[in-house]
Amino acid sequence: MSYCKQEGKDRIIFATKEDHEAPSDAELIEDDPNDPYEDPGLILPNGDINWNCPCLGGMASGPCGQQFKDAFSCFHYSKEEVKGSNCVENFRSMQECMQKYPELYPNENDNDSAPSGGADNAPTESTSADSLPTFSPDSTPAATENPAAS
Amino acid sequence: MFKCKTVWNKLAPLARASSTLCLQNARKSALRHGRRLEMVQKAQMSSGPAGGGGENTLYYVLIGATCLGTGVYAYRTVSGDKERYNERMIEIGSRPKQGPQAAEAVAKVVTESKEEPVAEEPTLTEPPAEEPLVTEAVVESTETEPAAEAPVTEPIVEASIPEPTVENTIREPVVEASVTEPVAEAPAVAQSEEPLAPVVESEPTPVIIAECVPEASSVSESGKTADSKAAPAAEPVEPTAAPSDVPEHAPYLLIGGGTASFAAARSIRARDPGARVLIVTEESDLPYMRPPLSKELWFSDDPKVIETLRFKQWNGKERSIYFQPPSFYVSPADLAKVENGGVAVLTGRKVVHMDVRGNKVTLSDGAEISYEKCLIATGGVPRNLQVIDRAGEEVMKRTTLFRKIEDFRSLEKISREVKSITIIGGGFLGSELACALGRRSTDVGLEVIQMFPEKGNMGKVLPEYLSNWTTEKVRKEGVSVITDALVKNVTYKNDKLEIKLKDGRLFKTDHIVAAVGLEPSMELAKSAGLEVDSDFGGYRVNAELQARSNIWVAGDAACFYDINLGRRRVEHHDHAVVSGRLAGENMTGASKPYWHQSMFWSDLGPDVGYEAIGIVDSSLPTVGVFAKATAKDTPKAATEQSGTGIRSESETEAVAGALTAETTATPPPIQQEEDYGKGVIFYLRDQVVVGIVLWNVFNRMPIARKIIKDGEQHADLNEVAKLFNIHED
């Protein structure tokens, strides 16, 4: 049985599990997916890659940032049957650059293969996930997920 | 020179106006009153105000205008000369310095200088005597007289520039002075003139020039600045700092090397390909994150943690507090040349003056850096208690104001050496440090006391019932918590610090940590002419974090307008990241306001952890909705579950859809006797939720963010609480 008490200006409610299982009738405002103020996640409304997405960590801003951007733009817009197969050169130069900075880009073997999956898949997939957190320093949520949207 | 110029700037329009005016008047009076002109002359004779009248004024204006007109012309020519002179100086200074063997250089210079004087035409008719300020200009103009003279000038100047540091400030004026002499003399006598001149002219000119120079820059080391103004490439500054180390220009200049600055640098680099970003920081460390200094680093098992500053997270993954290793950055000297741009960090340098009109800043060593876009992210310095400030050196030696890496290292060492540490302050930092030290207390036999004026830990943040509950938890961590404690004075007696409270209680301790707030660093406000907020402190900026056209402020120092919550200043890590990113975006043309609400979090030991967002002020009315907590609902479990390190990291670089809630092991259920195990607390302002605390409930921040953003009045907050599924993991 949920109950509540009042301590001065503060109200305290103790809610049971059953009480909270009932659907909420609180109303939330519907989000506009094209809201220009919102952080857009990895893909911008116009289809471009959001290089400033926190999900990319520091990949687009580091010393190999330009190569990274070239490689993944190429992949993103690739219309080949095997997506990204026309981008081998870009990925190779990216890999070359990354080998020059082993401290920043460890496990360079994982960066070999082009990320599989669709364009929406953030390039931080499970194989390279280990390498990324070591140089993605933000310990903070600057949203990749739009509130209540995704 | 500048004083002169400002005065002139004010007079010039007046001069022009008055000259036009009097010309018009003259014509009118000439046309209308032919004979009136005679009367004007007569009127001049009579000195009485009634007799003189308009005509007198007219005459004075005419004469004045003529004089001023001449002055304008003279000044223009003269200041033009100074620019040419400066350019020449730069050119000379940039040549390899020779020292005493200026002879060879002289030969070179003579051949080169032959081109110069032809172009420079002084045609100065005015006698150089008038104002002392004009002397310098005149001096320069005489340098540029016909070809014969030029070789005289150049070699002297050339010889003087390579000379050692302190000398130079006197040397150059002397050089300039000496030039007035050899106007008629033959060029061959060049070198020998130097010793003569200083004897005669060394006094007046350097004084004059020294006067002028401080006007030009408000930097304390005016001498050095003078040099840097006249010949930036020559930089006759300390031999220690390689002058070429400081770039002269940075397209993106970030003042301050903390979290906000790094976030901005990253944002700029992501959005502007090939951007060249220069971070200037007072600290000797590269940018690092602050939260682990009072949390994770203390819980590390690694004995070398003080050097490496790496910490192992709950899930075993290790990382450094530094955002990036040194190889990420380019050196400041290479910044202008590196192909794809980069981020350079200039450590150990403080920006002491900002010239907004000229778009440049001056560093503590006198170097100047011009910029196109500038970010001020200077953060703040810890506040100290007045009683400690006044207590004398012995007390100050035993007090830590905790903020930086060096403070962590020193406190860590001290915690292993002393018997008792007292933390003054009951907010985030104080409570976290108390818990961290409390943990150690049992291992090393350390007494940990925490004292603060509030009734409980986080008394200004959490509602009273929760603050009390938290205080009990902190006590369980081994901390002796003293509430309602106002420190009256602190003395050093018998090798111990004695803290006397207002109510008479006395505490003896070995070391004090003061965690009583942050004072935002506003030193640049004056020179930059930036607005400072009187309510919250900090630089006042708009919703897009902009202070002026090319100046943004982010992080702890920014008092900004939050569209949802009103004007505020936030001192949390995530805010530094969010605002730094936003500033970086706006510096690269985004024009976006502060919209994504930043959050903050705190862990007080393994049992108490919370995340919060918005305005979380205990003076606001609150509604708290709680469920009973199980062992799974602790910070430790949250990190294990999401497979990431720092708990809040799970919200950030998370790949869309990659997070799956899998509990790897079921921890044994712990009997929860407390009522406030987990829940959500809403902070209300005019019945609108402006702040939310997620109490031992994790990974729900997006929902909280959404509710704050909506800014709606909800009739039943229990219904809103249902959205959080607090009973589930």
Side-chain angles (χ1 to χ4, degrees), chain B residues 86-320:
Chain B
N86 286 342
E87 278 161 24
R88 190 69 184 137
M89 295 286 278
I90 295 166
E91 211 208 296
I92 292 165
S94 62
R95 289 191 215 118
K97 297 167 191 177
Q98 295 292 331
Q101 314 102 328
E104 294 107 47
V106 169
K108 276 190 232 153
V109 169
V110 169
T111 47
E112 280 177 55
S113 68
K114 293 253 167 77
E115 315 133 25
E116 278 273 17
V118 178
E120 293 163 24
E121 280 289 306
T123 60
L124 191 61
T125 51
E126 284 227 318
E130 279 164 13
E131 301 159 276
L133 287 171
V134 183
T135 316
E136 192 194 334
V138 170
V139 158
E140 285 145 18
S141 68
T142 54
E143 283 176 2
T144 60
E145 252 148 64
E149 257 69 59
V152 173
T153 324
E154 315 300 358
I156 293 176
V157 167
E158 163 77 28
S160 75
I161 289 190
E163 285 192 25
T165 64
V166 185
E167 244 66 45
N168 225 336
T169 53
I170 311 298
R171 274 325 203 162
E172 291 201 339
V174 167
V175 165
E176 286 155 20
S178 72
V179 174
T180 49
E181 300 237 311
V183 168
E185 284 181 22
V189 203
Q191 286 291 302
S192 60
E193 267 157 15
E194 224 185 333
L196 286 177
V199 177
V200 180
E201 298 236 348
S202 57
E203 264 83 273
T205 340
V207 170
I208 291 162
I209 302 220
E211 274 172 24
C212 290
V213 158
E215 305 293 342
S217 81
S218 57
V219 175
S220 49
E221 302 151 75
S222 55
K224 288 185 180 162
T225 322
D227 289 331
S228 63
K229 277 202 178 305
E235 282 294 28
V237 191
E238 311 96 350
T240 46
S244 59
D245 163 58
V246 181
E248 282 168 22
H249 178 77
Y252 295 99
L253 177 68
L254 311 185
I255 303 175
T259 309
S261 200
F262 183 81
R266 186 185 257 201
S267 192
I268 293 168
R269 287 279 300 154
R271 288 171 51 87
D272 179 0
R276 298 172 202 282
V277 181
L278 178 68
I279 295 176
V280 179
T281 172
E282 212 181 0
E283 290 191 62
S284 52
D285 292 301
L286 295 172
Y288 59 91
M289 47 171 47
R290 222 174 285 288
L293 291 179
S294 57
K295 292 184 276 290
E296 284 90 342
L297 287 182
W298 292 92
F299 302 132
S300 170
D301 306 316
D302 182 7
K304 285 202 252 102
V305 67
I306 318 173
E307 287 131 46
T308 63
L309 299 172
R310 293 185 73 82
F311 52 102
K312 218 179 229 183
Q313 296 146 52
W314 293 109
N315 58 0
K317 258 202 280 208
E318 227 191 49
R319 65 153 301 159
S320 166

Side-chain angles (χ1 to χ4, degrees), chain A residues 2-32 35-42 44 49-67 69-70 97 100-105 120-126 129-150, chain B residues 259 262-263 265-274 289 291 310 317-319 322-329 340 342-343 463-465 563 573-575 577-578 581 585 591-593 595-599 601 617-628 646 648-656 675-676 701-703 705-707 709-712 714 716-723 725-728:
Chain A
S2 299
Y3 68 98
C4 74
K5 59 181 179 177
Q6 190 82 21
E7 283 193 19
K9 61 169 174 63
D10 303 314
R11 192 149 166 259
I12 310 166
I13 300 170
F14 290 93
T16 60
K17 194 166 177 196
E18 294 73 35
D19 180 12
H20 271 213
E21 269 168 356
S24 169
D25 61 4
E27 280 170 18
L28 296 176
I29 300 174
E30 198 167 309
D31 274 335
D32 172 11
D35 187 349
Y37 289 177
E38 288 291 343
D39 284 340
L42 181 62
L44 295 170
I49 301 178
N50 174 22
W51 298 116
N52 207 13
C53 179
C55 61
L56 292 178
M59 297 284 280
S61 56
C64 299
Q66 195 52 51
Q67 288 86 345
K69 284 185 196 172
D70 293 337
C97 177
K100 284 189 260 176
Y101 302 94
E103 226 188 349
L104 293 175
Y105 308 105
D120 282 309
N121 195 1
T124 62
E125 51 165 35
S126 50
D130 283 327
S131 55
L132 280 180
T134 43
F135 59 73
S136 57
D138 303 301
S139 67
T140 57
T144 44
E145 323 154 76
N146 284 317
S150 48
Chain B
T259 309
F262 183 81
R266 186 185 257 201
S267 192
I268 293 168
R269 287 279 300 154
R271 288 171 51 87
D272 179 0
M289 47 171 47
R310 293 185 73 82
K317 258 202 280 208
E318 227 191 49
R319 65 153 301 159
Y322 290 101
F323 288 116
Q324 292 287 7
S327 50
F328 174 87
Y329 305 98
N340 286 327
V343 182
E464 199 176 323
Y465 60 92
I563 296 175
H573 173 87
D574 189 42
H575 171 74
V577 176
V578 168
R581 273 184 74 227
E585 287 180 335
S591 302
K592 282 167 60 176
W595 190 249
H596 176 94
Q597 198 55 243
S598 62
M599 55 83 77
W601 76 97
D617 183 340
S618 62
S619 64
L620 294 173
T622 66
V623 175
V625 182
F626 293 89
K628 280 201 173 218
I646 301 171
S648 47
E649 212 183 83
S650 64
E651 298 213 345
T652 165
E653 273 101 45
V655 179
D675 285 333
Y676 310 112
M701 196 44 75
I703 308 158
R705 188 171 280 123
K706 167 76 179 150
I707 291 166
K709 185 178 80 158
D710 282 355
E712 296 273 289
H714 294 276
D716 186 357
L717 285 167
N718 189 28
E719 295 297 319
V720 180
K722 283 183 187 175
L723 299 170
N725 290 323
I726 56 178
H727 294 88
E728 276 158 62

Side-chain angles (χ1 to χ4, degrees), chain B residues 391-399 491-493 495 497 510:
Chain B
E393 209 203 301
E394 288 300 317
V395 174
M396 271 313 292
K397 265 200 318 199
R398 292 168 174 79
T399 304
T491 44
Y492 176 63
K493 215 189 263 180
D495 203 31
L497 293 175
D510 296 316

Side-chain angles (χ1 to χ4, degrees), chain B residues 5 52-53 63 66 92 158 238 250 341 348 415 470 544 583 596 614 634 688 725:
Chain B
K5 189 161 187 174
I63 297 296
T66 320
I92 292 165
E158 163 77 28
E238 311 96 350
S415 71
T470 310
E544 295 175 18
H596 176 94
T634 57
V688 173
N725 290 323

Side-chain angles (χ1 to χ4, degrees), chain B residues 5-19:
Chain B
K5 189 161 187 174
T6 349
V7 166
W8 180 249
N9 282 341
K10 289 185 183 137
L11 289 176
L14 179 66
R16 280 181 224 119
S18 60
S19 57

Side-chain angles (χ1 to χ4, degrees), chain B residues 545-564:
Chain B
L545 305 183
Q546 201 178 34
R548 294 277 297 275
S549 303
N550 294 328
I551 305 175
W552 287 262
V553 188
D556 292 351
C559 177
F560 65 102
Y561 184 71
D562 184 327
I563 296 175
N564 288 320

